[in-house]
Amino acid sequence: MILTVTLNTALDITYRVRSLRPHASHRVSEVTERPGGKGVNVARVLAALGHEVTVTGFTGGATGRVVRERLASVPGVADALVPVSGATRRTIAVVDEQTGDTTQLNEPGPMVTPTEWSAFQEAYEDLIPSASAVALCGSLPPGVPVGAYAGLVRTARAAGVPVLLDTSGEALRRGVAARPDIIKPNADELAELTGSHEPLRATQDARRRGAGAVVASLGPEGLLAATRDGRWRATSPASVRGNPTGAGDSVVAGLLSGLIEHLPWPDRLARAAALSAATVQAPVAGEFDPGLYEELRAGVVVTGEASAA
């Protein structure tokens, strides 16, 4: 079982409009709703790849009930969400059909009390022994300590469970110091963490700060990985257009599935890059077309070299 942690779960709502224009009324051509938050998106992709996944984090209020109802219909995903008194947030994605661009609006999430945070930590500790790997994903809701991910990383490491961290800002800085096995920042998050805007130098610096491996999402430039085993870059043969929401989450799913399947790093990166591109072309986050994924996977180019033994 792979465990994904989404402390700030969401109900993802996607609107499609013909053309998004400021200060104007819009007729929505299509609406979709999905359980969301980064770790939930990761879980859906992992389940589609054939892995058993358990989702934990916080959920509450009427929106939280909808999230749990929708999550129950996702094959291969088990619900271990922890209830809170506040309401689960919503995220709104507005897709411009003419340009393919997406505008994202993210609510902050519910206020989590110290008692609720303690209840989550107990639930997490109970789940860890059954996990083959853990993904800690996304933002922290109000009330959760900024060092929360660092503590969750240490708990997983103490149990011998590999852990991937995908967050940003101070939560990432503190989490890296707890020595996660993998971190997956985007270019801006990596630059904020290290102070360097040169990706290769920044990935190396992030490793020195404590990460076992760093896989940076560089948008159209693909993925850049710095690991104990070597350094690689994975790129797709052509740029793809669509909804980029969830593309990074598919990278996480590709990396985690490759980790527990003991794939070499170039194969993990090729899988992650192809899943990311396939997700961009899907209508909503956390989904991909298997046939398109296989087609894109065949075209991914991975360059780099292994470290000397």
Side-chain angles (χ1 to χ4, degrees):
M1 177 269 285
I2 301 175
L3 179 64
T4 71
V5 175
T6 313
L7 295 177
N8 213 0
T9 54
L11 180 65
D12 286 346
I13 303 169
T14 302
Y15 295 132
R16 300 185 71 86
V17 299
R18 180 174 177 81
S19 176
L20 183 61
R21 293 167 289 121
H23 317 297
S25 297
H26 297 78
R27 188 175 298 277
V28 176
S29 60
E30 182 181 357
V31 181
T32 56
E33 291 186 352
R34 295 288 188 280
K38 294 179 72 64
V40 175
N41 295 336
V42 171
R44 275 204 301 270
V45 175
L46 285 168
L49 291 171
H51 295 279
E52 293 186 358
V53 192
T54 296
V55 170
T56 190
F58 294 114
T59 185
T63 306
R65 287 193 294 273
V66 175
V67 166
R68 301 191 88 154
E69 290 168 2
R70 299 292 178 89
L71 201 58
S73 66
V74 182
V77 176
D79 176 357
L81 293 166
V82 176
V84 293
S85 58
T88 295
R89 66 184 179 137
R90 298 161 298 178
T91 66
I92 311 296
V94 184
V95 180
D96 185 317
E97 294 177 337
Q98 285 191 348
T99 66
D101 293 335
T102 300
T103 299
Q104 190 80 17
L105 303 173
N106 297 329
E107 296 179 357
M111 175 63 69
V112 176
T113 69
T115 299
E116 291 165 343
W117 173 236
S118 296
F120 170 80
Q121 290 175 290
E122 292 177 8
Y124 177 77
E125 290 170 3
D126 289 342
L127 290 164
I128 281 291
S130 301
S132 55
V134 180
L136 306 174
C137 302
S139 61
L140 301 177
V144 172
V146 71
Y149 282 136
L152 299 180
V153 169
R154 294 187 188 101
T155 298
R157 287 183 56 82
V161 178
V163 56
L164 184 153
L165 177 62
D166 181 16
T167 188
S168 60
E170 185 66 11
L172 175 59
R173 189 183 70 80
R174 297 198 187 193
V176 166
R179 309 187 70 82
D181 295 88
I182 306 171
I183 63 170
K184 202 286 309 161
N186 61 32
D188 291 339
E189 291 162 351
L190 184 62
E192 183 181 8
L193 173 66
T194 65
S196 174
H197 291 272
E198 200 290 302
L200 181 58
R201 179 182 302 171
T203 54
Q204 294 169 334
D205 182 64
R207 283 206 64 217
R208 286 192 291 269
R209 291 168 184 258
V214 180
V215 180
S217 297
L218 304 179
E221 297 180 24
L223 304 175
L224 178 65
T227 80
R228 295 184 182 93
D229 300 325
R231 303 172 190 162
W232 292 274
R233 183 186 291 269
T235 55
S236 297
S239 61
V240 293
R241 294 184 61 187
N243 181 2
T245 306
D249 306 329
S250 292
V251 170
V252 171
L255 295 175
L256 271 184
S257 62
L259 170 68
I260 66 171
E261 294 172 27
H262 306 290
L263 298 181
W265 269 104
D267 291 344
R268 298 186 205 181
L269 294 168
R271 174 182 290 182
L275 283 170
S276 176
T279 299
V280 169
Q281 296 198 11
V284 292
E287 296 185 2
F288 66 95
D289 178 84
L292 177 61
Y293 159 66
E294 293 294 345
E295 179 183 334
L296 291 167
R297 169 65 186 85
V300 173
V301 176
V302 181
T303 58
E305 59 182 5
S307 300

